[in-house]
Amino acid sequence: MAEMPMRFKRFRRIRMTEPLRSMVRETELSTNDLIYPLFVVPGKGIRKEVSSMPGVYQLSVDMIVRECAEVQSLGIPAVILFGIPEQKDEVGSGAYDEQGIVQTAIRAIKKDVPGLIVITDVCLCEYTSHGHCGIVRDDQIVNDESVRLLMREALTHAQAGADMVAPSDMFDGRVAAIRSVLDENGFTTLPIMSYAAKYASGFYGPFRDAAESAPKFGDRRSHQMDQSNADEALREVEQDIAEGADIVMVKPALSYLDVIRRVKDRFGMPTAAYNVSGEYSMIKAAGRNGWLDEPRVMMEVLTSIRRAGADMILTYFAKDAAFVLRSR
Ligand SMILES: [Zn+2]
């Protein structure tokens, strides 16, 4: 029998056992990297599953406090809150109402689960009757007027006790505007996580069921980014950093892993990625049909987002992943 030539490298040597594989592992996913999105609705005792997002619920304030206690007990450091108000109107008044749904939820969570980091989504689309992220005039979503409302929204979140605000609108100049209103009101140490490179994406579909925020006409392409552009994402991120963002986010995650990598390499900033609703629901649906090994694919996806350069991941899988990580 002919001898094997020795001109090749045996990569398999370091893959033969799990202890060896764990020694050379480059990327670790930890519960510390996870942020769990939550949807808060008016009422009491409400825990309503979102039909297009199995395992994700709209929760009333009392129920969200319980959920937050569980999230904390799993070692997940942070939640991000989205609110669905009692009433929607043209100018999204519920977003910047001191007694609004998110403001109320923040106070309740900070009282009962004080160690948990409460991040708030800052946008108007859940609060406007037309479902757009800002004020609409002559079928145009206007920038500066909308930003002024986002400033009020962010300030009421801070006053209610939020630990971090996360503007998701993609209007120009909003990070600087929010930074200045926070600073003027004594919240100089409150960080901003900006949705810096947020793309107009079909993967947001299920979220709009959860947040009841689908636009009644038109779409979000006048403010969210075109999927084809990555250089533009770097310009967006650079500007948000210049305006005062402490953490920059790329959203969605999976179809934009290259953007995450470029953002991380270029700026070296704390970088977040949003593993969005469609990315979640696809895996859930396939798992339920027995087409995929759901926990395995979930961990593969979350690890890929970390490997691409994200320091933290906003994900509906946060609790599921924490269970898997705990059992290892
Ligand atoms: Zn929005």
Side-chain angles (χ1 to χ4, degrees):
M1 202 160 57
E3 291 286 312
M4 282 276 285
M6 287 308 294
R7 280 181 277 105
F8 60 92
K9 181 154 173 56
R10 291 192 184 274
F11 287 105
R12 296 182 58 204
R13 283 188 199 116
I14 55 170
R15 294 178 199 151
M16 299 312 283
T17 67
E18 179 51 29
L20 259 176
R21 289 190 291 272
S22 72
M23 275 178 74
V24 298
R25 196 158 282 148
E26 297 172 34
T27 306
E28 293 282 358
L29 180 69
S30 154
T31 315
N32 291 325
D33 310 326
L34 305 175
I35 299 168
Y36 191 46
L38 289 171
F39 300 95
V40 57
V41 293
K44 251 196 146 112
I46 295 170
R47 185 177 166 81
K48 184 175 165 226
E49 192 168 38
V50 179
S51 59
S52 54
M53 300 179 74
V56 172
Y57 298 83
Q58 293 181 332
L59 301 164
S60 51
V61 170
D62 54 328
M63 301 302 276
I64 219 164
V65 169
R66 281 202 225 169
E67 184 76 10
C68 284
E70 191 194 348
V71 166
Q72 188 181 44
S73 75
L74 286 166
I76 297 164
V79 295
I80 180 164
L81 299 183
F82 298 87
I84 297 112
E86 196 105 47
Q87 302 275 353
K88 302 193 184 212
D89 60 29
E90 291 277 304
V91 293
S93 315
Y96 37 89
D97 177 353
E98 285 170 23
Q99 304 307 322
I101 186 72
V102 162
Q103 291 82 351
T104 306
I106 297 165
R107 285 190 288 267
I109 297 166
K110 293 310 293 181
K111 177 168 165 282
D112 286 0
V113 197
L116 188 69
I117 297 168
V118 176
I119 307 169
T120 57
D121 182 83
V122 177
C123 198
L124 299 179
C125 47
E126 296 120 57
Y127 304 92
T128 52
S129 45
H130 43 70
H132 281 294
C133 304
I135 302 293
V136 178
R137 293 213 191 288
D138 303 326
D139 286 351
Q140 296 267 332
I141 306 158
V142 297
N143 194 88
D144 301 13
E145 214 177 319
S146 302
V147 168
R148 279 193 279 278
L149 298 182
L150 297 173
M151 292 166 73
R152 290 173 62 185
E153 183 180 10
L155 180 60
T156 58
H157 291 176
Q159 287 165 337
D163 298 295
M164 191 184 304
V165 292
S168 64
D169 49 281
M170 286 296 281
F171 297 137
D172 296 318
R174 89 281 203 215
V175 173
I178 290 171
R179 184 72 269 159
S180 74
V181 76
L182 291 176
D183 290 352
E184 281 162 18
N185 286 277
F187 296 102
T188 50
T189 60
L190 194 109
I192 297 174
M193 172 193 279
S194 83
Y195 288 64
K198 180 178 180 182
Y199 286 85
S201 168
F203 286 100
Y204 303 149
F207 173 91
R208 290 174 187 172
D209 291 342
E212 300 175 11
S213 64
K216 298 281 185 294
F217 59 90
D219 55 37
R220 303 209 164 127
R221 289 172 207 266
S222 81
H223 50 294
Q224 297 177 353
M225 283 187 54
D226 187 286
Q227 64 183 73
S228 305
N229 298 353
D231 291 341
E232 185 188 354
L234 300 184
R235 297 196 293 274
E236 279 277 8
V237 171
E238 183 174 40
Q239 181 60 32
D240 279 10
I241 295 168
E243 289 183 25
D246 302 283
I247 298 171
V248 289
M249 190 200 301
V250 175
K251 180 182 181 181
L254 282 188
S255 298
Y256 303 86
L257 293 174
D258 58 320
V259 178
I260 298 171
R261 170 48 62 197
R262 289 181 66 182
V263 165
K264 187 64 186 176
D265 285 351
R266 173 78 71 93
F267 302 107
M269 286 285 287
T271 303
Y274 204 135
N275 175 220
V276 301
S277 58
E279 298 169 348
Y280 171 86
S281 296
M282 287 192 304
I283 294 173
K284 280 282 169 189
R288 290 194 162 194
N289 275 307
W291 296 340
L292 281 178
D293 176 345
E294 183 188 318
R296 181 174 176 178
V297 170
M298 166 186 77
M299 296 305 280
E300 188 171 337
V301 158
L302 294 175
T303 302
S304 79
I305 298 168
R306 285 275 292 121
R307 196 188 63 236
D311 301 292
M312 61 202 90
I313 307 170
L314 297 88
T315 179
Y316 305 98
F317 283 123
K319 282 168 61 186
D320 293 353
F323 280 120
V324 171
L325 288 165
R326 180 184 267 192
S327 65
R328 278 185 176 167

